[in-house]
Amino acid sequence: MFADRVLSGMRPTGSLHLGHYHGVLKNWVQMQHEMECLFFVADWHALTTHYDTPQVIEQSVWDMVIDWLAAGVDPAHSTLFIQSRVPEHAELHLLLSMITPLGWLERMPTYKDQQEKLSGKDLSTYGFLGYPLLQSADILIYRATQVPVGEDQVPHIEFTREIARRFNHIYGREIGFEEKAEAAIKKMGSKKGRLYSELRTKYQEQGDDEALLAAKALLDEQQNLSHGDRERLFGYLEGSGKMILSEPQAMLTAASRMPGLDGQKMSKSYGNTISMREDEESVTKKIRTMPTDPARIRRTDPGTPEKCPVWQLHQVYSSDDTKQWVQQGCTSAGIGCIECKQPVIQGVLDEQRPMRERAQYYLDDPTLVKNIIADGCEKARELARDTMRDVREAMGLSYS
């Protein structure tokens, strides 16, 4: 029905740290070699909470793209673009707002949570209330089938599925749909047309999911069907309407195990971060001055690694042999805290070194990044225009 396509974005609200790398970017680097991927700078989303400090957004956009490239995101294998440079996002957001019940937005679990967390900021704006719908438009405009998210974002994907379902139900019921669908079946040829009809009946009468999958696979193989006929037949399988917008699936990603310098999750709000491209001297100083097990007041005091924030970093950066050395040395006071921190320092610096090298290539010639984004925006707009052509036609709007 729709090609496998991944969409993911990040808000430009400051420099990226190692928590972003381990929580998001490593997944992006892996996924870009497995399926079609689109990664975007969500600058409009940043305005939902930072509308009064736009300078933060403007300064962060290009630094963030360089961080992506430094992490190993490859423009030869993925499409990188900026949300606000693809105006079709805003158009689809507007059109979807015409059919979105207000209560659906007010019930979003993140709506009140974020208002409480950011109580010092006035978030009584439509932009903040409507950001889940803008997020849906971001996904649906590319007919993305997979969206990598953590568990807390799953309700947003389900909301997007409901929006797509509602849109298809309202606007997929074109006049003469069944007659057009039956005519499209004949275009498949007698043998394949008969098989399609048998599988459709089996699914609709018996709820046979395997028959549904087989029918979809059969349609994917058809070369002599127009895009419109293909979408009609996909919709005819499950109901009586065209499938105009896809229903994306949440691709659950493992929660980041990256701890901050104080043992809490690495976050700018906690002031416990290490930036992805932070210089070696600063990284070394930060880790050397990290708090350790409070029981180790003197060098000769034995400690408990599980009570020490440094031990959490060993879980990310150290080998089993090193962790065994830490366990034995700490509990017996055989090693001091500075000695214990050295492998972590080395692990972080080794991880950052290729990032700095990749980033320097783009820092030396900023036009390279501008060109990557320009190409990505052009590719994204081509996909977005295709979707909007179908959306506008379905809603009775002219499209030139």
Side-chain angles (χ1 to χ4, degrees):
M1 181 163 42
F2 296 106
D4 265 347
R5 181 176 292 151
V6 172
L7 179 88
S8 190
M10 293 178 69
R11 302 197 314 166
T13 56
S15 60
L16 300 187
H17 52 68
L18 293 178
H20 293 117
Y21 174 68
H22 285 273
V24 178
L25 296 179
K26 283 179 75 172
N27 287 326
W28 286 11
V29 171
Q30 179 180 341
M31 286 187 293
Q32 69 184 347
H33 299 292
E34 298 170 352
M35 59 189 81
E36 182 185 2
C37 291
L38 292 94
F39 303 129
F40 71 98
V41 179
D43 51 347
W44 278 338
H45 280 292
L47 283 169
T48 61
T49 53
H50 288 73
Y51 57 83
D52 53 347
T53 54
Q55 63 274 11
V56 174
I57 300 169
E58 186 177 4
Q59 293 167 2
S60 300
V61 168
W62 297 107
D63 280 342
M64 188 169 79
V65 173
I66 290 176
D67 281 337
W68 292 358
L69 297 167
V73 176
D74 187 349
H77 291 95
S78 53
T79 300
L80 312 184
F81 65 98
I82 297 173
Q83 180 188 35
S84 64
R85 293 199 182 182
V86 185
E88 286 78 5
H89 285 242
E91 183 182 6
L92 184 57
H93 177 217
L94 170 67
L95 295 179
L96 292 178
S97 73
M98 305 301 181
I99 66 165
T100 303
L102 188 59
W104 287 16
L105 292 169
E106 293 173 332
R107 286 197 301 270
M108 289 300 293
T110 52
Y111 179 57
K112 289 185 178 179
D113 289 347
Q114 285 294 308
Q115 280 188 320
E116 290 173 3
K117 288 179 181 176
L118 300 172
S119 57
K121 188 179 288 287
D122 179 12
L123 294 179
S124 55
T125 63
Y126 168 73
F128 183 71
L129 174 66
Y131 92 86
L133 187 60
L134 176 58
Q135 189 177 55
S136 294
D138 297 333
I139 298 167
L140 297 174
I141 194 73
Y142 300 106
R143 290 170 166 150
T145 57
Q146 304 286 337
V147 184
V149 292
E151 282 191 25
D152 60 326
Q153 287 290 305
V154 170
H156 286 266
I157 307 306
E158 185 52 42
F159 172 78
T160 301
R161 289 171 58 81
E162 290 175 353
I163 292 293
R165 203 172 298 137
R166 180 172 171 82
F167 186 93
N168 290 335
H169 176 71
I170 295 173
Y171 298 108
R173 296 177 295 174
E174 59 184 335
I175 297 173
F177 173 77
E178 292 196 5
E179 291 79 3
K180 292 177 181 178
E182 289 295 336
I185 292 174
K186 292 179 181 177
K187 295 177 185 178
M188 296 173 68
S190 59
K191 184 177 179 180
K192 290 182 179 177
R194 186 168 57 253
L195 176 58
Y196 170 88
S197 296
E198 289 171 357
L199 292 168
R200 175 177 178 269
T201 299
K202 201 171 182 180
Y203 170 69
Q204 292 195 352
E205 293 184 357
Q206 303 172 28
D208 190 330
D209 289 335
E210 289 187 7
L212 176 63
L213 292 174
K216 288 181 176 180
L218 180 65
L219 289 176
D220 283 332
E221 296 170 0
Q222 301 310 300
Q223 302 296 322
N224 60 332
L225 293 176
S226 67
H227 177 74
D229 278 340
R230 191 185 303 274
E231 296 313 311
R232 282 186 190 94
L233 291 183
F234 275 118
Y236 198 42
L237 279 172
E238 301 182 61
S240 58
K242 280 174 67 175
M243 298 293 289
I244 302 167
L245 298 177
S246 65
E247 293 185 25
Q249 298 291 331
M251 179 187 287
L252 278 175
T253 56
S256 173
R257 293 172 54 250
M258 189 64 197
L261 294 165
D262 57 0
Q264 299 183 82
K265 180 181 178 180
M266 188 172 284
S267 170
K268 282 180 286 188
S269 60
Y270 297 147
N272 63 359
T273 64
I274 297 174
S275 298
M276 282 177 54
R277 295 182 279 130
E278 195 162 336
D279 67 87
E280 294 193 7
E281 184 178 346
S282 176
V283 170
T284 301
K285 182 178 179 180
K286 280 186 175 181
I287 298 175
R288 279 184 175 167
T289 56
M290 276 181 67
T292 55
D293 179 0
R296 294 205 71 181
I297 299 172
R298 292 177 294 275
R299 167 66 174 76
T300 54
D301 293 331
T304 306
E306 290 74 18
K307 295 181 180 179
C308 178
V310 181
W311 175 247
Q312 294 183 43
L313 288 174
H314 275 293
Q315 304 306 305
V316 178
Y317 290 104
S318 296
S319 65
D320 289 341
D321 287 345
T322 299
K323 285 186 279 190
Q324 186 177 354
W325 170 75
V326 171
Q327 278 276 7
Q328 183 177 347
C330 180
T331 55
S332 66
I335 61 172
C337 293
I338 293 297
E339 292 174 83
C340 173
K341 292 174 178 177
Q342 192 54 45
V344 170
I345 293 172
Q346 194 59 52
V348 172
L349 295 181
D350 288 345
E351 180 176 71
Q352 289 180 313
R353 193 165 295 112
M355 295 184 194
R356 292 196 198 91
E357 291 173 358
R358 281 190 289 259
Q360 196 59 51
Y361 176 70
Y362 297 101
L363 292 170
D364 289 342
D365 187 357
T367 59
L368 293 172
V369 183
K370 304 281 186 180
N371 290 338
I372 287 169
I373 291 298
D375 289 345
C377 289
E378 185 176 341
K379 292 177 185 176
R381 285 208 74 181
E382 286 178 9
L383 295 172
R385 285 177 181 137
D386 285 343
T387 301
M388 288 311 303
R389 186 174 294 110
D390 292 343
V391 168
R392 290 176 63 89
E393 180 184 352
M395 297 182 79
L397 303 171
S398 60
Y399 195 96
S400 56

